Amino acid sequence: MITIALDAMGGDHAPRAEVEGAVLAARQYGVRVVLVGIESKIRAELNRHSHRGLSIEVVNATEVITMEDSPSHAFRKKRDSSVHVGAKMVRDGKADALVSAGNTGAVMAIARFVLGQLPSVDRPALAAAFPTAKGNPAVLLDVGANVDSKPEQLEQFAIMGEIYYRTIFGTRRPRVAILSIGEEEMKGNELTREASNRLKQTGLNFTGNVEGKDFFKGNVDVIVCDGFIGNIVLKISEGLVEHVGGMLKKALKSSVSAKVGYVLSRHAFDEFRKKIDYSEYGGVPLLGVRGITVIGHGRSNSNAIKNAIRVAGELCRAKVNEKIEQELSAVGAGVRV
Amino acid sequence: MITIALDAMGGDHAPRAEVEGAVLAARQYGVRVVLVGIESKIRAELNRHSHRGLSIEVVNATEVITMEDSPSHAFRKKRDSSVHVGAKMVRDGKADALVSAGNTGAVMAIARFVLGQLPSVDRPALAAAFPTAKGNPAVLLDVGANVDSKPEQLEQFAIMGEIYYRTIFGTRRPRVAILSIGEEEMKGNELTREASNRLKQTGLNFTGNVEGKDFFKGNVDVIVCDGFIGNIVLKISEGLVEHVGGMLKKALKSSVSAKVGYVLSRHAFDEFRKKIDYSEYGGVPLLGVRGITVIGHGRSNSNAIKNAIRVAGELCRAKVNEKIEQELSAVGAGVRV
């Protein structure tokens, strides 16, 4: 049975959302979930659910990482944090994957230090799925594990992202593209031009550059970029959706008929909001570390936690890390810089 | 009287939107507008409007740059294009500013070659205004005149953007920030860290880093970044607004009550859409060239053209280029690389 170490103290709604998500996932996906964190708090939440027959365990961890902790502080000063204890379980073979909706920087740092990287991986990458107009998600990586990425790293991101996409979204030959400022090959910067040359020589289904304006159209599946840029794209998108939602609400409160209209179309709005909420995709895997690690949004509700556990389980079952190691080592040594 | 050379053949709705926008601007702002392009077509449109007493002229240019023309092709092979003829009018002192809603790359290339740069400017930059939650726009630059910008160029962008913001939006001390992946100074890449060190030593109202998630909140006025990143931010935002709008429409067609709701709230929707449409801000100036140049969106309607002419006129009146040259030369030589 696949065992998931779940940071029960991570998200904004922890441990309530975490415990509920764990119960849902254990029931629906038949995985074992180990809730890691302050045992008394976790048990109090667990008592609110019927979980007989489900494989749910609790492992105590006395410290909690907050959103304000710097990655290095969280790693160095809180050795008994739920993230740290969970990561060690994965390292020691007591769990197959780590899932956390906590402080992204801290989870990344701890996963990198405690688990280490796969031998052929130069830099791990965070892969985020975005909803598109055609329904298929677009996976962007790296969205913030690195800055100042090099062409050979973008090549690795593409290979890792493609394996992830195939595994989770079931596409046989995902289309791979580079995020750039024009479709033509020469349009871009030094990094994208060199990465483009490299990607053409891989066996990937590489389709060239994709522009920002086409990002959400759904014509490509895996999009690679420097981690600085990817993080900005992710955060700008979140910020813009929030901003547009806020402005829309304000506009719809401006007159009686608009208010009535809003009430009537409420259900459609909620469905719509769900679609643009990428927490539905079940968190963001940190690809390239030795041990599956999935990071959920801080705002994760129990459904998002459940989905993150599902994704972690699928990545384990599909032996994604073995595949990454195999394909990257086939691309050849001399990648590391 | 300020004279604007308007590329009448540029946008998707040219020359109709251009001619109508010129008439509106000449009437409202008391500027002289020279419509540059295929004279017969311009005159045919002009005859549809009453323009007695308005200062509107037509200058013939036989060639038209399309959206498909590469910048170098447009510049080299279409020497009698409306953009080229308009730029030469500015160079020769026959007009004070060039306005075009045409092919952005071509307009930039021609403006740079024909007009040249201000002596102290290392690289011109495109400055785009975004609507924010607080009402004040956020101006981002560079959004695509350059790639692989250097720290000293980001410093110049900040100085030019600040002058532009003061002039057009009337803020006495605009807040200047660097787009990055965290608020703390060390969060970012090599470029942002070095640019941050430089900006602290200027007299600007520099507030540090701004993250993607806070981009639309309206807490900063001028945001600088590398042109590759800025272009991606601009295009991702456009693409996302379109995508969200499309999904919302679909959701609102999903049931009778939602449809009725949509009809009732239609006016509120339209107002909202106007607010997120940054063409309202009147185009994107190319700061740093010798002669005011404002580039409108290809989709510009007559109102957007009118606004672009207004902005160009205000930049002329405020002697923005003199101010840029003065402030940049005060920052010191040795900037050019």
Side-chain angles (χ1 to χ4, degrees), chain B residues 67-330:
Chain B
M67 289 297 178
E68 285 68 43
D69 285 331
S70 74
S72 66
H73 180 85
F75 174 63
R76 271 184 253 274
K77 303 290 176 190
K78 293 186 170 177
R79 294 290 175 132
D80 201 41
S81 74
S82 48
V83 180
H84 211 115
V85 171
K88 282 198 289 190
M89 288 182 65
V90 176
R91 183 194 66 192
D92 300 341
K94 292 177 188 157
D96 300 293
L98 171 68
V99 172
S100 174
N103 179 326
T104 304
V107 177
M108 277 202 297
I110 293 169
R112 287 167 98 147
F113 280 111
V114 173
L115 301 174
Q117 293 176 197
L118 293 171
S120 299
V121 169
D122 185 27
R123 300 271 191 92
L126 278 174
F130 292 75
T132 74
K134 292 201 177 146
N136 56 306
V139 165
L140 180 71
L141 74 169
D142 170 42
V143 297
N146 311 279
V147 297
D148 296 324
S149 311
K150 295 183 175 55
E152 55 271 28
Q153 290 160 358
L154 255 57
E155 183 187 1
Q156 288 205 340
F157 298 167
I159 292 169
M160 294 195 290
E162 202 253 4
I163 294 170
Y164 165 62
Y165 202 98
R166 264 193 277 142
T167 306
I168 299 300
F169 303 111
T171 308
R172 213 177 52 84
R173 287 275 289 162
R175 294 155 298 183
V176 176
I178 297 175
L179 184 60
S180 193
I181 57 173
E183 281 188 9
E184 304 82 359
E185 201 182 317
M186 354 84 63
K187 288 233 176 145
N189 56 14
E190 237 177 85
L191 173 67
T192 63
R193 280 190 294 263
E194 281 187 46
S196 185
N197 280 336
R198 285 179 162 266
L199 282 172
K200 276 188 285 183
Q201 285 155 42
T202 63
L204 296 172
N205 184 7
F206 177 56
T207 61
N209 287 346
V210 63
E211 279 189 80
K213 74 179 172 58
D214 299 328
F215 189 89
F216 295 98
K217 288 194 177 157
N219 298 329
V220 290
D221 302 310
V222 176
I223 303 172
V224 294
C225 66
D226 167 77
F228 181 87
I229 293 172
N231 189 267
I232 284 175
V233 166
L234 179 70
K235 299 294 180 64
I236 286 270
S237 303
E238 288 189 343
L240 184 55
V241 166
E242 208 171 291
H243 173 49
V244 165
M247 285 175 80
L248 188 58
K249 235 186 215 163
K250 225 191 218 169
L252 291 174
K253 279 182 181 165
S254 60
S255 77
V256 174
S257 88
K259 249 180 257 177
V260 174
Y262 181 63
V263 170
L264 283 175
S265 48
R266 193 71 177 262
H267 177 69
F269 273 119
D270 290 347
E271 283 300 300
F272 156 74
R273 209 169 283 151
K274 232 169 134 179
K275 262 186 203 147
I276 56 172
D277 177 8
Y278 20 100
S279 75
E280 287 289 310
Y281 289 119
V284 169
L286 179 64
L287 300 173
V289 292
R290 210 192 283 260
I292 300 296
T293 304
V294 175
I295 305 177
H297 201 289
R299 287 183 304 210
S300 291
N301 57 18
S302 57
N303 188 49
I305 298 286
K306 183 192 81 173
N307 278 322
I309 294 172
R310 172 181 56 77
V311 166
E314 287 175 18
L315 294 174
C316 294
R317 255 181 228 115
K319 299 195 190 310
V320 154
N321 277 351
E322 284 85 334
K323 285 182 192 159
I324 287 176
E325 186 52 33
Q326 196 181 331
E327 293 201 22
L328 287 188
S329 62

Side-chain angles (χ1 to χ4, degrees), chain A residues 69-88:
Chain A
D69 285 332
S70 74
S72 67
H73 180 85
F75 174 63
R76 271 182 253 275
K77 303 289 177 192
K78 294 187 170 176
R79 293 290 173 130
D80 202 41
S81 74
S82 48
V83 179
H84 210 115
V85 171
K88 282 197 289 190

Side-chain angles (χ1 to χ4, degrees), chain A residues 232-252:
Chain A
I232 284 174
V233 166
L234 178 69
K235 299 296 182 60
I236 286 271
S237 302
E238 288 190 342
L240 185 55
V241 166
E242 206 171 293
H243 174 49
V244 164
M247 284 174 80
L248 189 57
K249 234 187 215 164
K250 223 191 219 172
L252 291 175

